[in-house]
Amino acid sequence: MPVLALALLSMACAAANDFVFKLYARRSGPVGAYLAVIGVIWALAFAACLPSRQVLLQPATLLWGAVSGVFSITANILYVMALKKEDVGVCSTIYRLNLVPAAFLAFLLFNEPATAPRLAAIAAGVAAVLFFSWPSGRSAARPFVSFSIAAVFLASLLRAGMGLSYKAGLLAGADEFGLMTINGCAWIAGGAGFHFMANRAAWRAPRSTFTYGAVSGALVCGIVLFLVLALKRGDASLVLPVTQMSFALTALAGIVFMHEPLTLRKCAGVSFGAACILLMGIR
């Protein structure tokens, strides 16, 4: 299958998963249990791809798998919580702009080149976040940034930390499937822990939680599977920007199926977000 087709499949799975996240958030179901179900499917899928179970005990795999897993589950808890209050197009765009802090930190931690296109991409990403962060009809009594926007912005930073942890782990010799398997276990533990902290009076989750969790789990596996296959066949400078453009499809789905408002500010934010990701892909 062509590289571009694989990248587009990964992008489509990411957009669909964001949409499922929003559908579940609207139901006000338990977030922790939902993410724990995703973790079960994730862990089982990538455990089947392990070259051997011994790689899970390798120091580098165990350490960086745990670190990236903590970043990942915390980011997604914040992301789903933000989706309860904010438009899916806004949250998805800010979340996918995790390339901006990841690139900035990569300059500092891994001595990657600070090229003009990447600096321009960072500026475009900051502009996109500002467009989404500025509340409409702001009054003196209203905070500049809402809690949900702050939550998804923090989720984006944590998602960047996950990506950098992956890179640090791979540089240290960690097994990629071992990292993914431990990440799934982190989702199980973190999701279950958050569920019992937030829902002390009701430890049982409704059946819909398991249904939505199973769908999201399959989509998450599709995101990673098609991404890995695309990266093995083509350049990261082509694959990564295409897969990160999923927010555009998510925003469109929110407008068409959820009747979210199409404002000038949202159009500007999505446009700057697209410019950021495209510029980030230029070598």
Side-chain angles (χ1 to χ4, degrees):
M1 186 177 292
V3 174
L4 183 58
L6 291 169
L8 288 172
L9 285 172
S10 179
M11 179 190 73
C13 287
N17 190 51
D18 286 343
F19 189 69
V20 174
F21 269 19
K22 178 63 177 179
L23 288 176
Y24 184 76
R26 293 176 64 183
R27 298 177 65 90
S28 299
V31 174
Y34 170 56
L35 297 177
V37 174
I38 297 174
V40 170
I41 297 175
W42 187 348
L44 290 176
F46 289 104
C49 301
L50 289 172
S52 70
R53 295 181 181 178
Q54 297 301 319
V55 299
L56 295 176
L57 300 178
Q58 293 175 354
T61 303
L62 190 59
L63 171 63
W64 291 108
V67 171
S68 59
V70 170
F71 279 130
S72 179
I73 183 59
T74 308
N76 279 273
I77 288 174
L78 290 170
Y79 184 41
V80 177
M81 295 299 291
L83 283 169
K84 290 177 177 288
K85 300 292 185 181
E86 198 63 56
D87 287 355
V88 65
V90 173
C91 291
S92 178
T93 303
I94 296 176
Y95 189 65
R96 298 300 167 190
L97 289 177
N98 63 77
L99 284 175
V100 173
F104 181 75
L105 291 173
F107 298 153
L108 302 177
L109 299 177
F110 301 114
N111 296 319
E112 293 189 357
T115 62
R118 286 191 176 183
L119 293 176
I122 290 175
V126 171
V129 173
L130 288 176
F131 269 107
F132 286 136
S133 300
W134 191 281
S136 58
R138 188 168 71 93
S139 63
R142 188 175 180 181
F144 177 71
V145 177
S146 67
F147 174 79
S148 56
I149 291 294
V152 76
F153 181 72
L154 179 57
S156 181
L157 293 177
L158 291 169
R159 177 61 177 77
M162 186 199 78
L164 293 172
S165 299
Y166 278 167
K167 181 161 187 174
L170 293 173
L171 290 174
D175 180 79
E176 58 185 12
F177 291 111
L179 291 175
M180 297 292 183
T181 303
I182 294 174
N183 276 189
C185 294
W187 276 53
I188 297 172
F194 183 76
H195 174 76
F196 288 115
M197 287 175 58
N199 303 274
R200 295 178 183 177
W203 61 272
R204 291 185 178 181
R207 183 176 299 178
S208 61
T209 296
F210 296 93
T211 302
Y212 277 91
V215 173
S216 286
L219 289 171
V220 167
C221 292
I223 293 169
V224 178
L225 174 62
F226 292 125
L227 176 61
V228 170
L229 292 176
L231 288 173
K232 285 184 176 180
R233 291 168 170 77
D235 294 336
S237 60
L238 167 65
V239 173
L240 294 180
V242 171
T243 57
Q244 292 291 338
M245 290 293 289
S246 62
F247 69 86
L249 291 179
T250 306
L252 180 61
I255 293 169
V256 174
F257 297 107
M258 296 183 177
H259 307 292
E260 294 180 349
L262 177 60
T263 63
L264 182 62
R265 187 181 55 155
K266 182 181 289 188
C267 291
V270 170
S271 298
F272 274 108
C276 166
I277 291 174
L278 292 175
L279 286 169
M280 197 67 74
I282 298 177
R283 289 184 175 180

